[in-house]
Amino acid sequence: MEGKAESASVRETMNSPDQLWPLLEDFFSLHKWVTTIDTCYGVEGVSGEPGCVRYCAGARSSADGSEDVFTDWALEKLLATDPVNKSFTYEIVDCNNVGFKSLAATMKLTAVRDAEEEDGCGMS
């Protein structure tokens, strides 16, 4: 990887990390929790085991306002999983998105408490 960029993005839900982990642990289920992904399936290995590869794709409208529709896709490889800390690390190994030469990212679930003192979960 030529450079390293870090990004923090947190999305909160009222579910606990223990409740959400089975969904994230299934590496081939991205389309079930990311609304912009239309399809996601395994192309190599067993879901949740390091080394497995998933194909993910989603349609998007043209940025120029035309009625053209494009499909963005990526092949992503699971590098590591940590069920105790509710996290996994993956890398994009191939894609049709302009601008990505390589990308590795870690997704992590964390317990959060909102302003009303209700427990929930954040993902970063």
Side-chain angles (χ1 to χ4, degrees):
M1 194 159 53
E2 284 187 16
K4 181 179 178 182
E6 291 191 22
S7 172
S9 175
V10 176
R11 199 170 283 261
E12 294 181 10
T13 177
M14 293 312 299
N15 299 88
S16 72
D18 288 335
Q19 291 171 314
L20 290 181
W21 178 245
L23 186 60
L24 267 65
E25 188 175 38
D26 178 2
F27 192 63
F28 301 158
S29 73
L30 188 64
H31 62 294
K32 294 178 182 176
W33 54 277
V34 176
T35 59
T36 57
I37 301 296
D38 298 321
T39 187
C40 179
Y41 57 85
V43 295
E44 186 177 315
V46 176
S47 182
E49 292 185 8
C52 70
V53 177
R54 68 184 177 193
Y55 169 85
C56 303
R60 65 173 172 85
S61 299
S62 173
D64 65 9
S66 69
E67 293 184 18
D68 294 336
V69 176
F70 299 93
T71 299
D72 290 328
W73 60 267
L75 288 175
E76 300 175 340
K77 182 176 185 176
L78 183 62
L79 300 177
T81 184
D82 184 349
V84 173
N85 291 305
K86 311 283 188 283
S87 68
F88 65 86
T89 301
Y90 69 99
E91 70 177 335
I92 294 178
V93 294
D94 194 10
C95 68
N96 70 337
N97 297 329
V98 176
F100 280 115
K101 186 170 183 180
S102 67
L103 171 76
T106 299
M107 301 292 293
K108 180 175 176 57
L109 296 175
T110 55
V112 296
R113 180 163 283 184
D114 68 14
E116 286 80 36
E117 298 294 315
E118 294 186 32
D119 291 331
C121 178
M123 181 172 46
S124 58

